[in-house]
Structure formats: C-alpha cells, structure tokens
Amino acid sequence: MADGNGNTPLLQVKDLKTYLFTRYAVVRAVDGITFDLKEGENLGLVGESGCGKTMTGLSLLRLLPQPAGRIVGGQIIFDGQDILTLDDDEFRKLRGTQMSMILQDPMTSLNPVFTIGDQVGEPLLLHQGLKGNGLKDKVVELLRLVRIPVAEVRVRDFPHQMSGGMRQRIVGAIAMSCNPKLLIADEPTTALDVTTQIYFLKLMRELQQQFGMAMIWITHDFGIVNRMCDRIAVMYAGRFMEIGPLVEMFKRPVHPYTIALLNSVPRVDRKVDQLYSIEGQPPDLRQEMVGCPFAPRCSRVKPICREQYPDEVVLDSSHKAYCWDVK
Amino acid sequence: MTELLLEARAAQKYFPVQKGLLFAKTVGHIKAVDGVSFSIEEGKTFGLVGESGCGKTTMAKCILLLEKLTSGQVFVGGRDISKLNGEQLKQYRGMVQAVFQDPYSSLSPRMRVRDIVAEPVVVNRRLSRKELKERVTEVMGVVGLHEEMGNRYPHEFSGGQRQRVAVARALSLSPKLMVLDEPISALDVSIRAQIMNLLRQLQAQYSLSYLLIAHDLAVVRHMSDQVGVMYLGKIVEYADSNELYAKTLHPYTKALVSAAMPSEPGVRRDEIVLSGEVPSPLNPPPGCRFHPRCPFAMPKCSEGEPALVEAFPGHKVACFLHSDKVAQPEATTVSSNGKKPS
Ligand SMILES: Nc1ncnc2c1ncn2[C@@H]1O[C@H](COP(=O)(O)OP(=O)(O)OP(=O)(O)O)[C@@H](O)[C@H]1O
Ligand SMILES: Nc1ncnc2c1ncn2[C@@H]1O[C@H](COP(=O)(O)OP(=O)(O)OP(=O)(O)O)[C@@H](O)[C@H]1O
Ligand SMILES: [Mg+2]
Ligand SMILES: [Mg+2]
C-alpha cells in the first residue's frame, strides 16, 4: 500500500526511549527503538505482554500516563515536524486531526457518565464544527458504519449498556472520525468475533485507500498481522529484536525470539494437546539491562550476548535484526 | 456417568429501552438473551461463540447473578440459582468465579494487586497469613507475574498483565465453575498457551467446569468439549467441539468458521462475508433470525422460526435446511442432551 514514490516517510522514530518513573523504580518501557513508516503503510507491532507496545504507541501520541511517563530520549518526526518540540496546544491540534489512537481498553477512552452519542459527537463538534441535526446524522452514520444495530436509538445509551465488542467498535469509530494520517490501533479487535472482525478490518482498508492513512497495528493476533500488515516489528523488553517485510519474516525469521514467537501461534486447522510456550519469563523492566534482554531464555545464547547489546544486522534494506548469532 | 453441573433452561433476558428524560416510558425491549438452553457437565468446558452483541456476556452475568433473568431458569448443582439465599447464596458465590471481558473496569483501582488476587480467598476461606501469601504467590506465578508485582496498583500494568491479574484472582479459590468471558483475548500467544494449558490441567485435577466465551475459534476448539453457537439471543447450533468443526451445519456457523483468520501470510481462504444490516435486537427479524443475511434463505425462513433439533446424535441445529420443525414458543425446556440436572 505504500506510495513508493521514495519521498520522506510520514513517521520517523529515532532511538526513542520512554521511561516510567514510579515510587520505587524506573520502568524502562521503551528503551531505544528506531523505525519509520510510509504514507498508507501498515506496520504490525508484536511481542509478549508487557514488552512496551502500548507505551510505544502512547509515546507517539504524547498520551503517556501522568505523572509517571516521560520520553527521555530520541526523536519522533511526523510529517516533517519534530513533534517532541511542539507545545501542548500545537500538539493537541495535530492529535485531533492528523493522528489518533484506538486504545487497548475501550473503557479507558469512554466516559461512563456520557452517552455514546455525545462521545462520538465531541470530536466532530470540536474539529469539524458540525452542529445540530448535521452532527446527529453524522454520529448515527458513524455508528452504523461500525455496525451498531439500531444506532438511532442506541446513541442515547451509556457505555455500560453496550456489549464489549460494541464499545470497542465505538472507540474505533471515534478514532477514525477525523480521517487521520496516522492511526495507531492497540488491540482494536480483541472483543470482536471473526465475522465482525473481518468487516471491521475491511472498513479500515477502505479508509486507508480513501485517505492514505498509515497504521500501526499493535496486536497479539497473527491473523490480523497476516491480513493487514506490510511489515512487522518484533519487540522484546522495550527493544526491537527484528523488523522486516511480513512474508519474509514468516518464511525466514532470523532472530531466535521471532522464531519462538511464531512457533507458539495456535491454529484453527488442527487441535493439539499442549500448546508450545516460550520457557521462562520476560525480564523485569525495572532492572537496567546488560547485553541482549532475550539472552536468559535464548537457546542460542553465547557469552557475548550477556555482555553487550547486539549491533544492528542488516539483512537487506528493509529487514533488520539485533542478534549476535545472526550474520 | 458424568453429572450435570449447570443447566440453563429457556433463559431470557430483556433490557427495557426508554424514551424521554423526565417521564421515561418503555418503548421496547432489547432481547439480549431470548430462550437459551444449554448444560455443562462436571469437569467439562462449554464454549459459547457468536457475533458481537448476541448476548454472551449477558448470559454469563445471569449465571453470576449480576443480572436477573426475565424468564427461564439456571440450575447449578440441581438448584435454581434465583432461589438461593443466605448461606446458600454465599456458598454459591464462592463456588463460581469469573474473569470478566473488560479486565480494567473489573479490578478495583485502589487495591494493590496482591490484595485483589487474595480477596476471594479471604472472603471465603480461613487461611493463615503465611498460607494466604503462599497461595497468592503461587497463582501469580502460574499466570506469569513476578511476586514483586503484587505491590503495584492495576493502572501500573499493561493490558495483558491486567488480564492475567483477573485470571489469577479467579483461580485463587479453586472454584467449581469458572465463567471465562474472553479471558485471554489481550494476551500474547505464549502466555495464552501457558494459561490454556494451566486451565486444562486444573480442570483435570479438580474436575472444574468452565463456561468459556471467546471469539478466537482456535482457542474455543482447543479448550471446549461442547460448543454453542449463538445468534441474536438464540442458540442456533450445539455440538461436541470436534463434531462442530468437522461437520458445520448452520449457515451462520459456516460463516463464522470460514472467517477464521489466515494462520500464514498469503494464505487466503474463501470466507463467507456476512452481508446485510446487522439485525436489531429490538425487533428481531420474523422467522429465522438469520434469514436476512443467509445465503441459503428460502421463503419459509421468514415465516416460521426453525426449532433447535437433533440432526445427528448430540448435534443440534435450528435451520430449515436440516429439519422442517418449527419452534413452539416456550417449548424449549428439554435439556441439551436429555439428561436431568443432578
Ligand atoms: N503506569 C505505569 N507505571 C509503571 N509501570 C507501568 C505503567 N504502565 C505500564 N507499565 C509497565 O510498563 C511495561 C510496558 O507496558 P506496555 O503497556 O507498553 O506493555 P504492552 O507491550 O502493551 O503489553 P500488553 O500486550 O500486555 O498490553 C510493562 O511491563 C508494564 O508493567
Ligand atoms: N445493561 C444493559 N442495558 C441495556 N442493554 C444492554 C445492557 N447490557 C447489554 N445490553 C445489550 O444486550 C445485547 C447483548 O449484549 P452482550 O454484552 O451480552 O453481548 P456479547 O455477546 O457479550 O457481545 P460481545 O462479543 O461484543 O461482548 C447488546 O445489544 C447490548 O447492547
Ligand atoms: Mg498493551
Ligand atoms: Mg461480551
């Protein structure tokens, strides 16, 4: 889907570091990641629970939990602008119109005391200046688009009166309503059954074709990755282990962690007694890491892995890995 | 012979829809659950799947007594749960645990995670402080959370970590029945496998029963003994898990199974995309509720509602392609497999 004109990417992230400063410790949630994204491109961001995917997304939108979350290093260049240098007002405008995010937990982005109609309408009122019946019609249209049945009646309902999947689709509708250039979707379909999921993904594709929207898909669901993404980035303990084109990564994954991760994907087409899971636990992000963070669980570990973080191995211009055992 | 642990008979839950602010009057009902019957045997898993908004969570909430059925009954251990009170009710709440769909809103924000996980045990059982601490550490360990994380508050966790806290909490008591509403949807494949393996191991060990609601068909298939497919408040197909995947009968189930996501990039299957408007739970379509979207719809499908009948031994389906029998209202109280609750 990328435009392929060779012009500068829509988004460039350079050595981004996001730490969370809590009472007792510093959590190194994102610890130096670098990537870029072209207009209309779909990047999948995958990795075990707690590895920093959500914090990566929240950093790009400057929506980190406060007061704990801070970007402590690196650069984020969006559409030619270094967004970390913008003041809050300038950035808020950008966030409402050019970039948006579907948050992982729908209830955190919906306010329990306002109706669905009010919440879907708010950004349209603020950013597109819609009012009265025009606003009402647009709200109902958006809800229909994400397949909320009898939308004209249900605009009056509150979030708790919606099913889990409906809430998730409503949050999706809000994020899409401003036709952003960049949409970060954090587990956007976890509460959707497969047929609704397919419909939702098709809708996203259409919007992308129409508006050239680029997307970052944060997901554990390789079905979505396979369907939607052009490239994937595999994250572990706040860092990227490997990034490359989708098919290439599936056919020839090079990093031991990528290989282990792909091995544990369950399949509908066969039933097994025991599912494969990666031995051991991901590291505690509050400890400063020396060497490769995957080393303690890695079957191909070498002495150097425990001492020094691996250099970038460029397999080809778009496929990179960070591993001492990859040539 | 295995005993039935739970049986739902013609369960129905309607939510009133009101209009007007000051003088609200009821203008209709959302028929979230509309005559659902199924049963769960001791030590078995019943999987419930179906389109978003078809009433799965509402059914689960009725079992947990968080919502009251409009009509019909749920029996657990042979007792009508709506008639429990006093000590029996307390006992019931202890023997049934749940993992809710929305983990964040179900975890109390002001409690440390350690106390959240310990709460069901503290309420229901007498353990020494040391035993309690061991128990909490143990269940947190099995869901892959470091012991130290117990000191944190829920907002300091990632989405998947929160979901695991909810699973650990439900496991802490070793209940008889667990209602699992999308328990692992936010988890990565590795932890997911770990938790699924654990759930099955606990089931074998303690003869636990599970009601599993999940949209991931691979997960449902892996975990369930029997599966019920719901569409707009009704069960339309019901069978042993292996049988259901091998011999799908209902057109809606076919669409669901065909829509399963590719497990490798580039492998595209012919999926049946459900076209047409999503039906309204306020005014469900007449006849078979699926007929407006069904590729095989016949004239009679919009006239009468097909009954849920046994097409093959133990395999029930509500579809005129497989039986001409028309549903009689209120006649759906026979248990799924003819057994009476224990
Ligand atoms: N507010 C917070 N305070 C302290 N630590 C936090 C906070 N929020 C998240 N963390 C920690 O930061 C790390 C990264 O969290 P993040 O939410 O980015 O994970 P994730 O990759 O999105 O995981 P998941 O797949 O489970 O959603 C986790 O280990 C988490 O425990
Ligand atoms: N408290 C309530 N008040 C009014 N309507 C409700 C309430 N709770 C649920 N509903 C409605 O009942 C229907 C069924 O909802 P339910 O949450 O049971 O669906 P579900 O099958 O769990 O869907 P999902 O897969 O999206 O979670 C929906 O139309 C929902 O909006
Ligand atoms: Mg997350
Ligand atoms: Mg639900």
Side-chain angles (χ1 to χ4, degrees), chain A residues 20 49-55 104 220, chain B residues 152 156 158-161:
Chain A
L20 297 153
S49 174
C51 71
K53 303 178 298 293
T54 296
M55 291 304 146
Q104 183 167 15
H220 295 299
Chain B
R152 300 200 215 160
E156 295 177 298
S158 78
Q161 287 166 341

Side-chain angles (χ1 to χ4, degrees), chain A residues 35 37 43 50 62 99 116 123 135 137 146 150 157 161 168 170 176 204 212 221 226 243 252 278 280 282 284 305 316:
Chain A
F35 68 98
L37 192 67
L43 175 71
R62 294 191 12 193
M99 51 202 321
I116 297 302
L135 178 64
D137 291 347
V146 293
V150 270
D157 281 350
Q161 294 174 302
Q168 198 163 46
I170 290 163
M176 290 184 285
M204 292 282 191
D221 187 335
N226 292 338
I243 179 168
R252 283 174 291 277
I278 307 169
D284 184 352
C305 303
D316 68 54

Side-chain angles (χ1 to χ4, degrees), chain B residues 14-213:
Chain B
Y14 288 5
F15 293 104
V17 177
Q18 291 173 334
K19 215 170 187 173
L21 277 178
L22 267 177
F23 304 99
K25 68 172 200 264
T26 303
V27 293
H29 288 93
I30 290 177
K31 303 181 172 95
V33 175
D34 202 8
V36 164
S37 305
F38 64 91
S39 54
I40 311 178
E41 287 169 22
E42 215 161 273
K44 298 278 158 113
T45 302
F46 179 69
L48 197 53
V49 299
E51 194 166 30
S52 173
C54 72
K56 304 179 295 293
T57 299
T58 305
M59 186 65 234
K61 283 187 173 163
C62 292
I63 291 172
L64 294 163
L65 295 171
L66 296 171
E67 295 282 4
K68 215 169 149 275
L69 285 177
T70 310
S71 76
Q73 291 116 352
V74 173
F75 293 88
V76 175
R79 286 216 182 90
D80 183 340
I81 59 167
S82 69
K83 303 224 160 71
L84 300 177
N85 46 37
E87 195 51 39
Q88 288 178 338
L89 186 62
K90 192 171 171 228
Q91 215 180 5
Y92 179 70
R93 293 202 192 273
M95 84 187 236
V96 182
Q97 290 292 314
V99 177
F100 293 99
Q101 190 168 15
D102 219 328
Y104 197 40
S105 42
S106 66
L107 301 176
S108 141
R110 283 189 184 73
M111 275 167 83
R112 285 179 199 276
V113 157
R114 193 192 321 109
D115 300 322
I116 293 179
V117 173
E119 197 182 22
V121 186
V122 173
V123 174
N124 288 287
R125 235 190 248 155
R126 270 164 198 278
L127 288 186
S128 72
R129 250 167 108 177
K130 185 162 159 281
E131 285 169 323
L132 186 66
K133 187 159 183 282
E134 278 169 9
R135 182 78 193 142
V136 169
T137 308
E138 185 190 339
V139 289
M140 285 187 57
V142 291
V143 297
L145 296 174
H146 298 281
E147 186 187 356
E148 152 286 319
M149 288 178 165
N151 293 324
R152 300 200 215 160
Y153 293 91
H155 76 266
E156 295 177 298
F157 283 84
S158 78
Q161 287 166 341
R162 282 200 283 258
Q163 202 165 43
R164 283 181 274 160
V165 171
V167 174
R169 178 188 155 92
L171 287 176
S172 64
L173 200 61
S174 319
K176 278 303 285 173
L177 172 67
M178 278 181 65
V179 174
L180 305 163
D181 194 352
E182 303 280 6
I184 47 180
S185 60
L187 299 180
D188 57 86
V189 283
S190 176
I191 291 282
R192 196 181 265 214
Q194 205 169 306
I195 291 183
M196 281 198 275
N197 290 341
L198 173 79
L199 286 171
R200 289 182 55 153
Q201 181 199 325
L202 287 172
Q203 180 163 59
Q205 214 170 340
Y206 301 107
S207 200
L208 299 187
S209 304
Y210 299 136
L211 169 62
L212 173 70
I213 299 172

Side-chain angles (χ1 to χ4, degrees), chain A residues 221-280:
Chain A
D221 187 335
F222 279 88
I224 295 185
V225 169
N226 292 338
R227 217 183 152 81
M228 302 301 290
C229 296
D230 308 306
R231 280 193 300 152
I232 46 176
V234 176
M235 196 165 180
Y236 188 81
R239 301 185 185 239
F240 281 0
M241 300 284 108
E242 186 168 356
I243 179 168
L246 177 68
V247 177
E248 174 82 10
M249 292 278 279
F250 265 82
K251 291 219 172 104
R252 283 174 291 277
V254 293
H255 197 289
Y257 180 63
T258 312
I259 296 169
L261 194 68
L262 293 179
N263 259 336
S264 54
V265 179
R267 309 174 58 128
V268 213
D269 43 351
R270 54 174 191 240
K271 186 168 178 169
V272 290
D273 280 338
Q274 279 275 315
L275 293 172
Y276 173 85
S277 73
I278 307 169
E279 279 291 309

Side-chain angles (χ1 to χ4, degrees), chain B residues 314-334:
Chain B
H315 190 158
K316 295 185 162 198
V317 63
C319 177
F320 287 138
L321 291 173
H322 303 285
S323 157
D324 289 330
K325 199 155 169 241
V326 178
Q328 302 300 319
E330 310 303 313
T332 37
T333 45
V334 199

